[in-house]
Amino acid sequence: MVKMLIKPIIYDLASQAIDLIHQAGCESGDIRFCTYRNQTLSANNRSLSKLTDHQESGFGVRVLLNGAWGFAASHRQTPEELIRVVNLAVGIAKASRLCQQNPVRLVPVQAYQDTYITPIKIDPFSISISEKADLLLTINDRLLQYEKQGIIKASSSLQFNLENKLFASTEGSLIEQTIYRSYSGYRCTAVANGDAQSRSYERLPLNIGYEHIAQTDLLSQIERVAEEAIEKVYAPKGPSGIQTTLILKPSNLYLTIHESVGHPTELDRVYGYESNFAGTSFATTDQLGKLQYAAPWVNFKCDRTQPCGRSTLGYDDEGVPAQEWYVIKDGILVDYLTDRETAYRLGRSSSNGCAFADSWSSLPMVRIPNLGLEPGPRGGSHTATLSEMIADTKDGILIDGIGSFSIDQQRRNFQFGGDSFWQIKNGRIIGMLKDVTYHAMTTDFWNQVDAIGPASEWQQCGTNICGKGEPLQIAQMSHACVPVRVQNINVGGR
């Protein structure tokens, strides 16, 4: 049974903060009391290399006064400190107004009194460290049983996060949320033939309990992962400077979605509010409803209500409820990722709930939610299973897992690698390749998708490390998707 963690005194402090914000004459304001627990275990070869179990808590106050933001935060949760921090936030708003060109306006949001808890079966923090460490060392030991065949390094890790926060706002909201996140994976490296190559496996990062760390599944993949690392080190290098057909598994495709669809549709990037870290966006608002972002059978949908999604919660950090919406519909750019400020500028009546801060000491900003590629419809002319895509490909490459990546400052031009590659000839996989990269312009790539997997091949892939902003903030999100086939893509030679 998951218990809520907020102490009664925190509710009193939240109420006091909202009263103070009202008394200061602010148009809007909110306070977030947050507690975070992060546990990480890592093992290298036959020893435990890292064990951290860190907890921190604090609160952040955000106010909007005369159209200008003010924000201040503290780890001291006392009445005296609360008064100081609210006054500091108000003072910062007054100072910000002196140099602000245009006043900030927000779309309205209803008041909510609610709680949200990630549904879990097993609290990951109730499992002993020794049991977790034993699992990692068992994984590594079994990988290293392939030392004679060339496996010289094995690494594995477990990560668990617990986030608890109380949000109160001048609109009248009082929302408590408890979010659990779990993640595990391992990797091995083979050295032979004058080369070193790695292969990895992971239980994808999801919002779920320890039941996600399925020991049977983790152990059952070891033989395949080790053998593929060994095969990969002897494999020929992939082609370079040519165009070919690519078939991308969800484990590879999710990162391409993240970089070339997720970040370009963050509306703060579009408006240039965010440009210091990884640039702005080519998908400007004059193209909304017009830009043929992808082929007509390609649809990208955001869904913060998705069960187990890495970005799934009840409400964002402005008290906007979780929801779902399309950003790309029938290949056309139809919407963005918004918070209350950018939604107002776009002329919308409400935010779609993408405000998120990674800490009590961080100011909320627009972050990618769960954003996924919809499966092809049953019987659709462009719907095909992975095996059907392979059988229908004369010459191509199948890619699994993620590798290196880069993308330009407006998210137009990208390059991606992968974890493993297989050559396809005349409808059959004939062997592994290594060192393959593919590159394309964003809209060219998505318009050249000619086959999309069905719902039966849908997977919730995602990332637990997405950086944005300066100072840097880290967020997590899922990019559920299916395999796709893409024609005439450049590989190598870049």
Side-chain angles (χ1 to χ4, degrees):
M1 181 69 179
V2 177
K3 296 180 179 180
M4 306 306 283
L5 304 178
I6 296 295
K7 298 178 180 179
I9 189 175
I10 300 301
Y11 285 93
D12 295 336
L13 292 175
S15 177
Q16 182 183 356
I18 297 305
D19 289 342
L20 290 171
I21 293 170
H22 278 302
Q23 291 168 19
C26 298
E27 302 99 90
S28 182
D30 53 59
I31 184 168
R32 287 178 296 110
F33 289 90
C34 305
T35 299
Y36 305 93
R37 184 177 179 184
N38 302 303
Q39 185 184 87
T40 301
L41 292 86
S42 300
N44 284 324
N45 288 348
R46 293 185 170 91
S47 63
L48 194 66
S49 58
K50 181 179 182 181
L51 170 58
T52 60
D53 196 341
H54 174 67
Q55 182 167 304
E56 64 168 314
S57 61
F59 69 94
V61 174
R62 186 181 70 156
V63 301
L64 185 65
L65 178 62
N66 295 325
W69 286 118
F71 178 79
S74 176
H75 68 279
R76 298 187 180 93
Q77 301 178 54
T78 65
E80 297 77 16
E81 184 70 353
L82 180 80
I83 295 171
R84 185 190 73 82
V85 169
V86 171
N87 289 336
L88 179 58
V90 171
I92 291 172
K94 291 177 180 178
S96 298
R97 186 71 188 94
L98 297 176
C99 59
Q100 189 173 31
Q101 294 182 346
N102 298 303
V104 171
R105 296 290 182 263
L106 307 178
V107 294
V109 62
Q110 294 183 27
Y112 298 91
Q113 291 78 43
D114 201 1
T115 60
Y116 174 86
I117 308 175
T118 300
I120 67 171
K121 295 179 181 178
I122 304 172
D123 183 345
F125 298 98
S126 70
I127 306 299
S128 69
I129 294 296
S130 60
E131 181 176 335
K132 295 169 181 173
D134 285 346
L135 173 59
L136 297 182
L137 294 172
T138 297
I139 290 170
N140 287 7
D141 185 64
R142 293 193 184 181
L143 287 168
L144 291 170
Q145 289 177 9
Y146 292 83
E147 284 179 299
K148 291 183 179 179
Q149 290 94 334
I151 300 295
I152 65 159
K153 181 179 180 181
S155 59
S156 54
S157 64
L158 293 168
Q159 296 179 29
F160 305 101
N161 311 102
L162 171 59
E163 178 180 336
N164 186 261
K165 55 189 172 185
L166 179 70
F167 172 88
S169 71
T170 53
E171 280 78 14
S173 287
L174 187 64
I175 302 166
E176 184 176 355
Q177 301 191 84
T178 300
I179 312 296
Y180 285 88
R181 299 184 172 97
S182 299
Y183 175 43
S184 63
Y186 55 84
R187 187 175 187 86
C188 66
T189 301
V191 174
N193 196 34
D195 194 12
Q197 294 288 336
S198 298
R199 187 73 172 107
S200 61
Y201 180 72
E202 61 181 0
R203 296 284 294 170
L204 300 167
L206 293 174
N207 286 11
I208 195 170
Y210 196 78
E211 63 272 16
H212 185 50
I213 311 304
Q215 181 169 329
T216 301
D217 176 68
L218 286 167
L219 297 178
S220 69
Q221 302 296 324
I222 287 174
E223 181 179 0
R224 176 186 63 81
V225 170
E227 289 178 350
E228 288 180 358
I230 295 164
E231 182 181 357
K232 185 179 175 184
V233 81
Y234 288 101
K237 288 190 175 183
S240 180
I242 67 165
Q243 287 190 341
T244 191
T245 299
L246 298 182
I247 299 176
L248 307 179
K249 289 187 174 183
S251 57
N252 177 267
L253 186 66
Y254 87 84
L255 185 60
T256 309
I257 293 172
H258 180 89
E259 300 292 346
S260 68
V261 181
H263 282 308
T265 57
E266 294 170 317
L267 196 51
D268 59 344
R269 287 193 190 278
V270 174
Y271 285 141
Y273 296 177
E274 168 62 27
S275 59
N276 289 328
F277 196 90
T280 55
S281 173
F282 73 93
T284 50
T285 56
D286 59 307
Q287 301 179 81
L288 186 62
K290 304 173 186 177
L291 177 63
Q292 190 72 48
Y293 206 107
W297 42 88
V298 174
N299 297 283
F300 289 102
K301 191 176 188 179
C302 298
D303 185 0
R304 297 199 85 172
T305 69
Q306 183 183 105
C308 300
R310 192 71 173 183
S311 182
T312 296
L313 38 64
Y315 301 83
D316 79 346
D317 283 343
E318 293 184 318
V320 177
Q323 54 199 275
E324 54 185 290
W325 70 99
Y326 286 98
V327 290
I328 310 294
K329 185 73 173 75
D330 301 327
I332 302 296
L333 175 67
V334 296
D335 209 344
Y336 294 98
L337 319 179
T338 65
D339 58 7
R340 294 178 64 196
E341 179 180 353
T342 55
Y344 182 92
R345 181 169 173 177
L346 189 62
R348 297 294 167 86
S349 60
S350 63
S351 163
N352 50 37
C354 292
F356 176 79
D358 71 347
S359 168
W360 51 267
S361 61
S362 299
L363 190 65
M365 65 171 71
V366 176
R367 300 309 304 257
I368 305 171
N370 302 319
L371 167 63
L373 170 68
E374 287 201 327
R378 179 176 296 186
S381 59
H382 293 275
T383 302
T385 65
L386 178 61
S387 60
E388 288 171 341
M389 292 180 201
I390 294 170
D392 189 46
T393 298
K394 183 177 181 180
D395 192 352
I397 300 172
L398 172 67
I399 304 181
D400 179 29
I402 62 171
S404 63
F405 69 95
S406 63
I407 193 163
D408 72 14
Q409 291 296 296
Q410 284 206 313
R411 303 278 154 173
R412 293 179 187 270
N413 192 357
F414 63 70
Q415 175 175 292
F416 289 90
D419 190 46
S420 283
F421 318 91
W422 289 267
Q423 187 172 18
I424 301 169
K425 289 287 187 183
N426 298 317
R428 294 175 56 248
I429 293 175
I430 63 170
M432 290 191 78
L433 299 169
K434 63 186 176 186
D435 302 337
V436 176
T437 59
Y438 61 94
H439 54 94
M441 301 293 284
T442 292
T443 51
D444 290 346
F445 178 87
W446 292 111
N447 274 283
Q448 287 160 213
V449 172
D450 77 333
I452 299 177
S456 61
E457 296 184 343
W458 182 87
Q459 294 182 34
Q460 278 181 290
C461 301
T463 178
N464 64 329
I465 304 176
C466 172
K468 182 179 178 182
E470 292 184 4
L472 179 66
Q473 293 193 41
I474 301 297
Q476 309 86 24
M477 60 287 298
S478 291
H479 298 295
C481 55
V482 293
V484 300
R485 185 174 65 183
V486 196
Q487 298 288 356
N488 302 318
I489 298 299
N490 296 309
V491 295
R494 191 70 182 274

